Amino acid sequence: MLRDAVRSLAEAKIAPYAAAVDEEGRFPQEALEALVANDLHAVHVPEEYGGAGADALATVIVIEEVARVCASSSLIPAVNKLGSLPLILSGSEELKKKYLGPLAKGKAMFSYCLSEPEAGSDAAGMKTRAVRDGDHWVLNGVKRWITNAGVSEFYTVMAVTDPGKRSKGISAFVVEKSDPGVSFGAPEKKLGIKGSPTREVYLDNVRIPADRMIGEEGTGFATAMRTLDHTRITIAAQALGIAQGALDYAKNYVRERKQFGKPIADFQGIQFMLADMAMKISAARALTYQAAAASERGDADLTYQGAAAKCFASDVAMEVTTDAVQLLGGYGYTRDYPVERMMRDAKITQIYEGTNQVQRIVMARNLP
Ligand SMILES: Cc1cc2nc3c(=O)[nH]c(=O)nc-3n(C[C@H](O)[C@H](O)[C@H](O)COP(=O)(O)OP(=O)(O)OC[C@H]3O[C@@H](n4cnc5c(N)ncnc54)[C@H](O)[C@@H]3O)c2cc1C
């Protein structure tokens, strides 16, 4: 029922704008409004903080169905979870009440600020500094590649509080867009997910109350990594949705397109491609939903499962979308058809929340 409801909404209110959002590189405002109106913008927020209280699998289904028509729009529910999960996992009750309510109501979005210009895969090498000053912390530094930066009101920022301790000297904070000293870089000009703004976040002597720290001092990096264990599954969901959207489009196209006097769907070479695409998507879906169940239960092997689902589903999304372009021939290579956008959008799922090389490192360190 959830899937049907989200699919109908996505097809009616999000799909019609997907091509324009991509072409114009603009924020999918129509999608935000439709998702908020239907309480689907941040379904993971627990009921006690005013949210829908969706479990990990339901959240995955929402993201998957939105991504099926518009990957950029799927980053609204996905990044709202990414940005706020550190707070949900490790924040104080006061902090949760203050920040999760506006998120659940659709009055504010949340972003996640881990990466920096010189600290990507090696995120613990970050330089952003937080220095204690009485009952405040003062933050200085640059966060890079921040999804929904400028649109979000709230930012979970990881910063070094004890430079000698590397990952154990990093703490997490909630920073507000309106805090003096917060500003944003120009939107990045990207290959895909062009409707999702990606910008630098500048922290210039940002002075915030000490109670904005999430959890204990020095636990920020551990919280950031624990968050990714859960949210990589939402990237898998996004990848899965993109792949399914490409297969659905290609499947219909080959039934209509005639060459050599018959629909190209009648050729076995085409049928085998479609069968392989469907098979890979089924496998990716099984892995993703299994990982979502592990996330919900807090299974001991969640780190492995989250990395495996993200890595596999994103590789499948890249293969399936590339094949979808192939199935449409020259038409697939143009912006008159959606599969080239899907192929460009799929690529990012192999890169963010840890590249697929990093996922393989994570899996190798946590073999089941
Ligand atoms: C559109 C977009 C949105 C993003 N959104 C966010 C966000 O909201 N918040 C956030 O904090 N970050 C975000 N990121 C950052 C993203 O997570 C990083 O780009 C990613 O982790 C890779 O870091 P890097 O770009 O610095 O690449 P690098 O770390 O420089 O990696 C370059 C290459 O080297 C490989 N590599 C690195 N180390 C190893 C190794 N040990 N073994 C093998 N190969 C290795 C990588 O796999 C990659 O192929 C976003 C990025 C993009 C492009």
Side-chain angles (χ1 to χ4, degrees):
M1 280 170 64
L2 176 68
R3 184 188 299 285
D4 288 348
V6 184
R7 182 166 292 195
S8 311
L9 179 83
E11 284 182 347
K13 298 276 169 69
I14 299 176
Y17 305 100
V21 157
D22 174 67
E23 194 68 38
E24 297 160 22
R26 67 170 176 84
F27 183 74
Q29 187 62 30
E30 299 88 350
L32 176 64
E33 285 166 17
L35 290 169
V36 168
N38 290 276
D39 210 6
L40 292 167
H41 58 288
V43 285
H44 68 286
V45 177
E47 285 176 24
E48 60 218 273
Y49 305 106
D55 65 19
L57 180 58
T59 305
V60 153
I61 290 171
V62 170
I63 293 167
E64 179 188 345
E65 288 300 324
V66 175
R68 183 175 159 274
V69 302
C70 178
S72 290
S73 299
S74 74
L75 283 160
I76 294 169
V79 175
N80 274 339
K81 179 163 180 176
L82 173 67
S84 63
L85 200 63
L87 184 58
I88 294 172
L89 291 174
S90 307
S92 67
E93 213 36 52
E94 296 71 44
L95 220 49
K96 288 188 201 176
K97 286 207 176 90
K98 181 167 178 197
Y99 291 107
L100 294 178
L103 172 66
K105 287 195 191 80
K107 295 195 182 318
M109 302 205 327
F110 240 107
S111 287
Y112 176 90
C113 305
L114 179 69
S115 307
E116 296 187 0
E118 304 302 327
S121 299
D122 182 16
M126 68 176 62
K127 296 200 175 67
T128 294
R129 195 75 168 85
V131 177
R132 182 98 193 202
D133 181 20
D135 54 2
H136 284 74
W137 287 92
V138 180
L139 276 65
N140 276 288
V142 178
K143 289 295 176 180
R144 192 170 174 90
W145 311 117
I146 306 309
T147 300
N148 293 341
V151 185
S152 291
E153 285 298 320
F154 306 143
Y155 298 81
T156 294
V157 174
M158 272 49 79
V160 177
T161 44
D162 188 342
K165 292 193 181 159
R166 230 177 109 85
S167 66
K168 294 206 165 56
I170 291 170
S171 304
F173 301 87
V174 179
V175 172
E176 300 182 17
K177 181 179 169 179
S178 56
D179 286 330
V182 174
S183 60
F184 305 99
E188 303 292 344
K189 298 184 181 117
K190 308 192 296 290
L191 174 72
I193 56 161
K194 293 188 180 204
S196 171
T198 314
R199 302 167 73 171
E200 283 189 326
V201 176
Y202 305 123
L203 304 158
D204 184 13
N205 280 321
V206 177
R207 199 178 154 78
I208 57 172
D211 64 7
R212 294 251 209 104
M213 183 183 275
I214 298 173
E216 298 293 312
E217 190 176 334
T219 62
F221 193 75
T223 297
M225 293 302 112
R226 211 145 58 88
T227 296
L228 294 178
D229 285 346
H230 294 274
T231 59
R232 280 175 180 150
I233 301 160
T234 67
I235 302 304
Q238 183 186 36
L240 193 54
I242 297 170
Q244 187 68 58
L247 174 61
D248 290 349
Y249 197 89
K251 192 170 65 184
N252 291 328
Y253 182 89
V254 298
R255 288 174 185 154
E256 301 291 325
R257 174 70 175 168
K258 289 199 176 85
Q259 289 292 284
F260 303 99
K262 51 181 164 177
I264 57 171
D266 287 356
F267 297 116
Q268 197 175 46
I270 299 282
Q271 292 166 6
F272 281 6
M273 281 179 77
L274 288 164
D276 280 346
M277 290 157 82
M279 174 179 66
K280 288 174 189 171
I281 291 173
S282 297
R285 181 169 288 115
L287 207 53
T288 303
Y289 291 4
Q290 179 184 303
S295 157
E296 194 56 33
R297 290 189 300 257
D299 283 359
D301 65 349
L302 172 63
T303 301
Y304 167 82
Q305 294 227 36
K310 189 270 191 194
C311 187
F312 189 83
S314 59
D315 285 350
V316 163
M318 202 62 240
E319 291 166 20
V320 166
T321 54
T322 306
D323 282 349
V325 169
Q326 190 70 20
L327 286 170
L328 268 71
Y331 297 97
Y333 199 65
T334 70
R335 294 201 186 168
D336 297 333
Y337 294 83
V339 288
E340 66 83 35
R341 164 169 55 83
M342 293 166 174
M343 181 177 157
R344 288 184 286 108
D345 288 347
K347 185 63 203 170
I348 192 59
T349 63
Q350 295 181 307
I351 295 174
Y352 57 20
E353 294 209 21
T355 65
N356 282 3
Q357 284 80 13
V358 166
Q359 304 309 317
R360 287 175 167 96
I361 296 171
V362 171
M363 282 186 273
R365 283 184 187 151
N366 294 277
L367 289 175

